[in-house]
Every structure is written in C-alpha cells, then in structure tokens.
Amino acid sequence: MVTANKDAKEAKNNKIITMSEANGILDRVLGDVSKKSAAQQILVGAGSGWATGYVTMKVGKVAALAVGGGIILLQLAHQQGYITVDWNKITRKMDKVSDKVTEAVTHEKPGLLDKAERYVDRAIATAENTVNKKRKQAKKWYASFLGDNDGPKINDFHIFLISFAAGVSLGIGSA
C-alpha cells in the first residue's frame, strides 16, 4: 500500500508539462492582465520583469564565463604550442571579405593600388614582428650570457590571468 502510494506520487511529480498545459495554467493564474486593476498589472509587470532580468543575468554570466574561459584556454593552448594559427589563411579570407564590402559600399572593385597598399602594410607588420621577436631573443641571450637569470618573471599575461581568476571568484561569490 505504501509503495503504491509512493509510486503514484513519483509518477505525478515526474509528469512533463506540455506547452498547452503551461499556457492553460498561466491563463488560469493571470487571466487577461489588461482587464485587471492597475495594482495587479503593476505587480504582474514588475514580477515578470524581475524574473526576466534575473534569468537574463544568470544566463549572461554563464555565457560570459564560457566565452571568456574559452578565449583564455585557447590563448594558453597557443602559448604552450598545442594550437598554431595560419595567419596567412586568415588574412586571405579577410581580404576577400574586405573586397566584397568595399565593392558593396562603393560599387567598385578594389584597384591594384589598394591591394598593393594592403600587401605592403602586412609586409611591414611582419617585418616589425620578426624584429621584435629577435630583439626579445637577443635580450634573453644577453641576460643569460651575463648570468642575470633570476628565474621566471611575471609578465603581463600572468597579471591578467591572476586578475581574471580573482574576478571570477568575486563574481561567483556575489551572484
């Protein structure tokens, strides 16, 4: 007798509510809100607005955490050498999209000078990056040559990572 009662209660609790049933429940509880008094309309509006804002904030926080965490994980994987990016392929795709946008806006295809200017800009940027990398390598070699190795040093990414972890902790604690 007790198990049959328990099974009936579990079956009732595990019942899935369909959309039409939910709509019927809302109609019975709220009815036509426009026919209610001003105080009831204010209460229903404020309550539904609060619920929407609350859910939106919770979903937004989860989405922001997922996107931010994903970006940080990708950056860490890139720094560790697990991921390599084919920047040439990305720039070729960007050039195609840029050409289509330029053509759509000005109704003219980009000329040879525009493409040459883009090529020169990228070549200069590549040369600048190469020089900066070689300069860092030269500084590192010079420091090791002088015996000025104090071990690992904190860089900007470490500071960012620590502040991000602290921000996540504060966000979780305040939510």
Side-chain angles (χ1 to χ4, degrees), residues 64-100:
L65 183 65
V67 170
I71 290 171
I72 288 176
L73 286 176
L74 285 173
Q75 179 63 27
L76 286 171
H78 177 68
Q79 275 189 341
Q80 296 298 322
Y82 295 120
I83 296 174
T84 55
V85 178
D86 187 1
W87 290 108
N88 292 328
K89 187 175 182 179
I90 291 173
T91 55
R92 284 193 304 269
K93 293 267 187 186
M94 283 180 22
D95 285 345
K96 288 180 184 178
V97 170
S98 175
D99 290 345
K100 287 181 183 179

Side-chain angles (χ1 to χ4, degrees), residues 134-145:
K134 297 297 181 184
R135 183 175 6 152
K136 287 178 185 176
Q137 289 175 350
K139 283 182 178 180
K140 190 174 181 180
W141 173 84
Y142 184 69
S144 67
F145 179 73

Side-chain angles (χ1 to χ4, degrees), residues 97-116:
V97 170
S98 175
D99 290 345
K100 287 181 183 179
V101 169
T102 302
E103 186 176 345
V105 171
T106 63
H107 303 294
E108 297 177 4
K109 289 188 176 184
L112 183 61
L113 286 176
D114 295 329
K115 291 182 179 182

Side-chain angles (χ1 to χ4, degrees), residues 16-57:
I16 297 174
I17 298 175
T18 63
M19 288 301 289
S20 60
E21 290 173 345
N23 193 17
I25 292 170
L26 283 175
D27 279 342
R28 279 184 299 209
V29 171
L30 298 176
D32 188 5
V33 177
S34 64
K35 294 180 183 176
K36 304 276 183 173
S37 70
Q40 287 176 329
Q41 288 180 14
I42 290 172
L43 286 173
V44 169
S48 62
W50 175 84
T52 302
Y54 184 81
V55 169
T56 302
M57 285 300 295

